[in-house]
Amino acid sequence: MSTSMVPTTSKQGVPEIFHVPHVETGFRTPHQPWSYYLYSFFQKHNECLNCWTHLLGMCLTLLRASQFAERHDLIEDPHMWPLTAGLIAMAIMYFCSTINHCFSSKSELVFYTTAMIDYAGIGIFGVGGVVLHYHYCHDDALVTSWQRAAAVASSVAMGILMCLSCSVTMFIYEPPYPFARTLWQISSALALYLLNSVPIVLRLLQYGSGDIWHSSLDHHTQQMIWSAAAAFFFGADIPERFLPGRFDFVGHSHQIFHICVIMMAEKQLEGITHELERLGPKFSTMALPTFWNSIGAVILGIVFNGLLVISCHFYVRKMFYVRNMVDKKTKIQ
């Protein structure tokens, strides 16, 4: 492994597309073997903590899945299918993010492709969140089966549109990327999150009308706070904005964003744990979830976002090919 390590470099040593606002050092060298980027998990560079945080998040999700599996039948019991769908979506989101931060420095084409894989994972995570909340975070009197089906179908469409929106902004904006690109990313994710939050808001309104506060709402409220914090650090570039180069390895806003996402996901699952305790006695009188309103919705999100990533990958490859041909002609002339 030690023979595969290549020293990191400053931002002057890598193409502009790899630059990160207010980060000056710790960039991995492009165009190295794939093993170099895999081994860089154990090297000090400016993406190292981003790799490890969401790898840790994926491990926490798998641990949560094993704990749920000890108490519930995640496969045979249709009432548990939404939980299974949410856990799958969450694990995929973490995995896609880890892939992005681990291999994005390989080349410009890989940079674009892994970023789109990351966006696809976020869209799938949004679908899983909607499935969880619309099945567990309300009473049947508040959300009917028709509303639930419409929300889940809408989440699949919005997850695809979010992936498309974030991917397209990589093509239409040139680095250094303007804030408009960040605004597109946040707004598309926000739209999906607002759909996600409707059952929780309905429960909060129900409490305001005189019903008893349930312990699950403590965790749902904290989840929403962590979500707001995640959006803030994703778009604000704080603290590195004020001290460029000082937070290249530890303390960068994207690292804080990752931690906020992990806490948001943990609070979501903690809230669902309390919801299952609340709804357990009522399951016999509640409508059964369907496959397509639970696991099937996440599968559709995976398929369509996967096809979108593949299509965009070939578009970017063609874009680079045309650009290289134009550059060659210019040099000849």
Side-chain angles (χ1 to χ4, degrees), residues 103-136:
F103 295 107
S104 61
S105 298
K106 166 70 174 172
S107 67
E108 292 186 353
L109 178 59
V110 173
F111 174 85
Y112 277 104
T113 304
T114 56
M116 291 183 291
I117 290 173
D118 198 359
Y119 299 142
I122 296 171
I124 294 166
F125 174 63
V127 175
V130 169
V131 170
L132 282 173
H133 289 174
Y134 277 81
H135 280 86
Y136 299 132

Side-chain angles (χ1 to χ4, degrees), residues 64-109:
R64 283 278 196 171
S66 67
Q67 292 171 346
F68 279 120
E70 290 175 359
R71 302 190 297 270
H72 308 283
D73 190 338
L74 300 181
I75 303 300
E76 297 296 332
D77 184 357
H79 284 296
M80 294 300 111
W81 287 352
L83 176 58
T84 304
L87 290 168
I88 292 172
M90 193 175 292
I92 287 174
M93 180 269 292
Y94 284 131
F95 178 73
C96 291
S97 176
T98 303
I99 291 295
N100 177 32
H101 290 288
C102 181
F103 295 107
S104 61
S105 298
K106 166 70 174 172
S107 67
E108 292 186 353
L109 178 59

Side-chain angles (χ1 to χ4, degrees), residues 229-248:
F232 171 78
F233 282 106
F234 181 83
D237 295 339
I238 292 175
E240 68 273 9
R241 175 186 297 275
F242 303 111
L243 293 169
R246 293 290 297 273
F247 300 96
D248 293 354

Side-chain angles (χ1 to χ4, degrees), residues 247-312:
F247 300 96
D248 293 354
F249 300 100
V250 179
H252 187 272
S253 61
H254 202 84
Q255 297 166 0
I256 302 174
F257 162 72
H258 274 206
I259 293 172
C260 290
V261 169
I262 291 173
M263 292 304 301
M264 175 193 70
E266 284 296 299
K267 285 300 174 182
Q268 182 184 64
L269 292 180
E270 194 64 35
I272 296 301
T273 300
H274 287 253
E275 297 288 14
L276 291 175
E277 294 172 357
R278 178 180 70 90
L279 293 175
K282 302 180 181 180
F283 277 152
S284 60
T285 61
M286 293 176 62
L288 283 175
T290 67
F291 176 80
W292 291 111
N293 275 355
S294 53
I295 299 173
V298 172
I299 292 174
L300 286 177
I302 294 170
V303 170
F304 285 112
N305 275 7
L307 291 174
L308 180 60
V309 169
I310 292 171
S311 300
C312 288

Side-chain angles (χ1 to χ4, degrees), residues 152-167:
V152 173
S154 298
S155 73
V156 175
M158 293 172 70
I160 297 168
L161 289 174
M162 195 220 76
C163 180
L164 178 63
S165 173
C166 292
S167 299

